Amino acid sequence: MEKVELLAPAGDLERLKIAFEYGADAVYLGGENFGMRTAAKNFTIEDIKEGAEFAHERGKRIFVTVNIIPHSDDFEGFEDYIKELDEAGVDALIASDPGVIQIIRDTLPNMELHISTQANTTNYQTANFWYRLGAKRVVVARELSFDEVKEIREHAPEGTDIEAFVHGAMCISYSGRCLISNYMTGRDANRGSCAQSCRWKYNLVEEKRPGEYFPVYEDERGTFFFNSKDLCMIEYIPQIIDAGITSLKIEGRMKTAYYVATVVRAYRMALDEYYKNPQSWKFNPMWLEELKKGSHRHFTTGFFNEKPDEDDQNYASASYVRNYDFVGLVVGDKDENGFFSVEQRNKMVVGDNIEIIGPFTDTMSATIKEMLDEEGNPIEAAPHPRQIVKIKLPDNVGVNFMLRKEIESKNIEE
């Protein structure tokens, strides 16, 4: 059985490497130009080359976004840029605009082309159109049901890959084609500069009562009525595969390394369990609990099962829910005294009860009973960002394992 691809976001080299270590088959990323996430750190050409080498050594792939909806002056330097991407070793380019696609076809005829969700592919005729223009893959619009995706699969050419978002933030606008940010702030979401205006709090003002602000419904806090919940489809792995989706895409190029590791790990476990015996696959609630241990909004299944209703909007707050802090990343194997080198990511102290996650392993629990600084001196706390400390951990821990600790549930802005 040919397995589906698990596709993860990568905002920088660390997150790229973490995604692969935790089970992603491919990553998508943005360069410094022509992508939809200019606020992300993004990759230089040198970073992309290093990332491609890291991926290819492991039999993995990287895709680069050039999916803005460009104005005429945005094309300056584009041909030279995609030539550099080709030389850096990228496996595919993700685009949405016909002009961009034509330049890619003319300049790099052998480059694999993926049609971005920004192109709003909602039917098999459109999928066939892109295939005839040389596209290997279409990223279908988020606004489709399982049945609609299956219909595209049944009528699209056999060689067409179908990629779909299965986890992460949803957009209030049709497949991300939004004008709210541009109107409110002058930052064009369709050219990579979204200000997340849909997450703001809004009130109603009546024309003849200027200065009098009313909540859209009875709540003194106002309402976030544009604010969608996050997509989460981990309970529907068999239906995803049955619909003909060949690449399961996780949203989040601006999310943390811990978020990437947590989400990729959970979906990897669910997929691996499916391929052991597809007929007897059962959803394991632990996978969903793992997803909730990363920052998230409340979850929805989007359009896959039925059209969203009022329950799919998060009216009360634009914040993320976070129940765990990512406190450390293992950066060195166990030494002769039994201590692992850990890079601090949030404050941890002796006596903390922690959980440890790693690639292809169950979650482990431990207590920090002793902590040393880099020179081997005992310390009680690690309060400094990125400081290196030494901690005793279970023997099967390795480099890139992550330490987290439970905190009182709180809402955070991200």
Side-chain angles (χ1 to χ4, degrees), residues 136-184:
K136 176 68 171 65
R137 174 179 298 191
V138 291
V139 187
V140 294
R142 287 178 170 90
E143 295 79 15
L144 297 180
S145 67
F146 279 128
D147 288 341
E148 289 173 309
V149 176
K150 185 179 292 188
E151 187 173 17
I152 293 174
R153 173 72 281 162
E154 290 172 350
H155 290 86
E158 187 175 347
T160 308
D161 290 343
I162 295 180
E163 179 181 307
F165 282 96
V166 299
H167 194 91
M170 296 282 284
C171 185
I172 191 66
S173 297
Y174 206 93
S175 286
R177 287 183 175 237
C178 181
L179 290 175
I180 300 175
S181 173
N182 207 340
Y183 183 81
M184 291 289 197

Side-chain angles (χ1 to χ4, degrees), residues 77-101:
F78 181 67
E79 288 185 35
D80 291 337
Y81 176 65
I82 60 174
K83 288 177 182 177
E84 289 182 318
L85 293 178
D86 185 38
E87 291 170 2
V90 305
D91 297 288
L93 295 180
I94 306 169
S96 62
D97 178 77
V100 169
I101 290 166

Side-chain angles (χ1 to χ4, degrees), residues 296-353:
H296 63 283
R297 299 181 184 92
H298 295 296
F299 291 136
T300 173
T301 57
F303 291 78
F304 278 107
N305 290 316
E306 56 190 13
K307 289 186 177 180
D309 58 21
E310 66 275 7
D311 292 331
D312 293 277
Q313 296 299 105
N314 188 4
Y315 295 112
S317 171
S319 301
Y320 286 80
V321 178
R322 193 171 78 193
N323 304 309
Y324 281 77
D325 271 342
F326 169 35
V327 296
L329 177 69
V330 178
V331 294
D333 288 321
K334 185 173 65 172
D335 63 21
E336 65 276 7
N337 297 314
F339 286 89
F340 289 84
S341 293
V342 176
E343 184 180 81
Q344 186 261 33
R345 294 303 177 90
N346 273 292
K347 183 179 180 181
M348 50 184 164
V349 302
V350 172
D352 276 345
N353 295 315

Side-chain angles (χ1 to χ4, degrees), residues 54 73 76 97 122 124 129 184 221 239 242 251 257 260 268 288:
F54 185 90
D73 57 359
E76 184 177 351
D97 178 77
T122 58
Y124 65 83
F129 167 81
M184 291 289 197
R221 295 171 298 180
Q239 293 91 327
D242 180 64
E251 182 275 338
V260 172
R268 182 77 273 156
L288 183 58

Side-chain angles (χ1 to χ4, degrees), residues 84-257:
E84 289 182 318
L85 293 178
D86 185 38
E87 291 170 2
V90 305
D91 297 288
L93 295 180
I94 306 169
S96 62
D97 178 77
V100 169
I101 290 166
Q102 187 62 58
I103 293 173
I104 294 171
R105 294 264 57 84
D106 291 343
T107 308
L108 302 173
N110 296 320
M111 174 62 70
E112 186 171 312
L113 176 64
H114 297 179
I115 303 302
S116 171
T117 190
Q118 297 293 123
N120 311 128
T121 299
T122 58
N123 61 79
Y124 65 83
Q125 295 284 10
T126 301
N128 292 346
F129 167 81
W130 290 122
Y131 182 82
R132 290 193 293 271
L133 287 185
K136 176 68 171 65
R137 174 179 298 191
V138 291
V139 187
V140 294
R142 287 178 170 90
E143 295 79 15
L144 297 180
S145 67
F146 279 128
D147 288 341
E148 289 173 309
V149 176
K150 185 179 292 188
E151 187 173 17
I152 293 174
R153 173 72 281 162
E154 290 172 350
H155 290 86
E158 187 175 347
T160 308
D161 290 343
I162 295 180
E163 179 181 307
F165 282 96
V166 299
H167 194 91
M170 296 282 284
C171 185
I172 191 66
S173 297
Y174 206 93
S175 286
R177 287 183 175 237
C178 181
L179 290 175
I180 300 175
S181 173
N182 207 340
Y183 183 81
M184 291 289 197
T185 68
R187 289 169 52 181
D188 191 342
N190 300 308
R191 296 164 86 181
S193 299
C194 182
Q196 298 278 301
S197 308
C198 57
R199 310 295 180 189
W200 299 352
K201 181 172 72 173
Y202 291 88
N203 285 281
L204 180 68
V205 179
E206 197 274 325
E207 179 182 7
K208 296 181 180 180
R209 300 180 185 181
E212 294 186 39
Y213 300 95
F214 302 94
V216 180
Y217 74 111
E218 294 299 323
D219 190 313
E220 69 277 4
R221 295 171 298 180
T223 183
F224 298 83
F225 58 88
F226 294 136
N227 184 38
S228 297
K229 293 181 179 179
D230 281 358
L231 182 66
C232 178
M233 296 301 296
I234 200 165
E235 298 181 53
Y236 296 89
I237 296 298
Q239 293 91 327
I240 289 169
I241 295 172
D242 180 64
I245 294 168
T246 51
S247 180
L248 282 59
K249 189 170 193 173
I250 298 166
E251 182 275 338
R253 281 193 285 137
M254 296 178 67
K255 300 293 180 64
T256 66

